[in-house]
Amino acid sequence: MSDEQAEYQVRDRLSFMRFLGPGLGDRVPDRTTIWLFREALVTAGVMEGGCSPASTRT
């Protein structure tokens, strides 16, 4: 990874952190937690289900 790419990745991830609200020292939900949350939204009828690669649990 080049220095330019490393800088981009750091900025990109910090923008996600700012958007989502956790601080740098806070834990980030793992993929299972995110999948379970999405499934709860689908079950509650708040979100449509779907099986796209981005939403498939691995």
Side-chain angles (χ1 to χ4, degrees):
M1 174 184 301
S2 71
D3 293 342
E4 182 179 59
Q5 183 65 21
E7 180 183 10
Y8 171 80
Q9 293 297 330
V10 170
R11 287 179 185 227
D12 185 53
R13 300 306 182 254
L14 289 175
S15 68
F16 283 176
M17 295 294 272
R18 282 193 298 268
F19 176 75
L20 297 172
L24 292 175
D26 294 340
R27 292 181 56 185
V28 175
D30 63 12
R31 64 182 175 195
T32 301
T33 303
I34 295 168
W35 181 79
L36 290 170
F37 180 68
R38 182 183 302 115
E39 289 297 307
L41 291 175
V42 170
T43 300
V46 176
M47 182 177 158
E48 289 186 22
C51 219
S52 68
S55 67
T56 303
R57 181 177 177 211
T58 57

